[in-house]
Amino acid sequence: MAMSSVAKISGIVATMLLIAAGFAIFSSRHISSDGSSTAAGSELLDSITWGEDSSLNAELPSLPDLVNGWNTSVGTAGQRAEAAKFFGVTVSQDPEVWLENDMTPFVGRTMKMTGIDILKRNPFNTVIEIAVKEGTVLWTIEPGPLGTSGAWVEHIDGKYTGVAHTAGYVSRGAWLEEDNKSLLGHKIENDWGLVEVKSVSNTTVVLKYWSYKKAKFIMTWTLLP
């Protein structure tokens, strides 16, 4: 191959840098004009916790930082509320979805991105597409408390490129996440997204992804031996 995957990605980033800069402005667009009141409302909701005597927790062990279905260690109350509003979803208050969901069998395992189908293209997901086609993109789902999904750590061609954290589950097959990535010195920070499982088997999962900054695409992940 005439050029390495890193060189090709570098070329894409260099030629599209001005365009990509425009997309960074998008991060300000998802803040509502009354964001302060939204955040305040969320803080009130987050202050209502499941106590030890709550019927919701009667048969379940306690999950740290879990309040009204949200992982409160991810983002602020205002950011979490704004993400739910932007993607038009409601986070489930059933704590069982954290303990048993479509991704539970893959906790503690590493998966390779073997396919990508871009639904709405932009410079950021174009870089990801090249990385998938010309290199090796891996996710390792680290174990969290009580066997839940912890950090989703990404490596491209053996180099650490970022991490994602689950903020809350919409259902067993859909969740909101927040991630931070860096590729060739270019950062995508505080990007919130909605992930939906389209299909899953013992070795493969197909996910539909939509985020503030990386737009929309479908990705296929295959479990490594």
Side-chain angles (χ1 to χ4, degrees):
M1 183 178 297
M3 298 178 61
S4 67
S5 60
V6 173
K8 287 190 176 182
I9 295 172
S10 180
I12 289 292
V13 171
T15 57
M16 302 181 99
L17 193 54
L18 289 177
I19 301 175
F23 281 88
I25 300 173
F26 182 79
S27 60
S28 65
R29 294 182 179 177
H30 64 270
I31 303 300
S32 60
S33 58
D34 61 345
S36 58
S37 60
T38 300
S42 262
E43 293 287 0
L44 177 61
L45 289 175
D46 278 356
S47 70
I48 306 172
T49 61
W50 289 311
E52 292 182 0
D53 295 330
S54 169
S55 60
L56 287 173
N57 280 355
E59 302 298 329
L60 293 170
S62 176
L63 289 169
D65 301 314
L66 185 63
V67 178
N68 292 328
W70 288 108
N71 177 359
T72 57
S73 70
V74 179
T76 66
Q79 289 172 334
R80 295 189 295 271
E82 192 62 36
K85 179 180 178 181
F86 180 88
F87 295 109
V89 297
T90 301
V91 167
S92 172
Q93 295 194 27
D94 182 1
E96 288 190 1
V97 297
W98 285 87
L99 302 172
E100 187 64 38
N101 55 71
D102 287 347
M103 298 304 295
T104 300
F106 304 108
V107 172
R109 309 294 297 276
T110 297
M111 308 187 80
K112 178 181 178 180
M113 195 174 185
T114 53
I116 181 170
D117 179 15
I118 294 179
L119 304 177
K120 185 176 182 180
R121 185 174 295 276
N122 72 9
F124 296 132
N125 61 39
T126 296
V127 170
I128 296 172
E129 181 183 49
I130 297 219
V132 172
K133 292 183 176 180
E134 301 293 340
T136 301
V137 182
L138 301 178
W139 269 355
T140 298
I141 305 176
E142 296 183 348
L146 305 177
T148 58
S149 294
W152 294 46
V153 181
E154 182 185 80
H155 288 81
I156 297 179
D157 292 338
K159 296 181 180 180
Y160 171 82
T161 51
V163 63
H165 295 93
T166 302
Y169 284 92
V170 178
S171 66
R172 294 179 186 271
W175 61 94
L176 289 172
E177 58 93 42
E178 184 268 344
D179 70 46
N180 296 274
K181 297 185 185 299
S182 177
L183 185 60
L184 299 177
H186 303 286
K187 295 183 178 181
I188 305 175
E189 297 180 312
N190 193 33
D191 189 22
W192 289 75
L194 173 65
V195 189
E196 299 175 86
V197 176
K198 305 305 293 181
S199 66
V200 61
S201 70
N202 291 335
T203 59
T204 304
V205 59
V206 178
L207 303 175
K208 183 178 181 181
Y209 182 77
W210 174 22
S211 84
Y212 293 160
K213 300 178 182 179
K214 295 188 289 296
K216 299 179 181 181
F217 53 91
I218 294 174
M219 47 189 171
T220 301
W221 292 89
T222 302
L223 186 65
L224 291 184

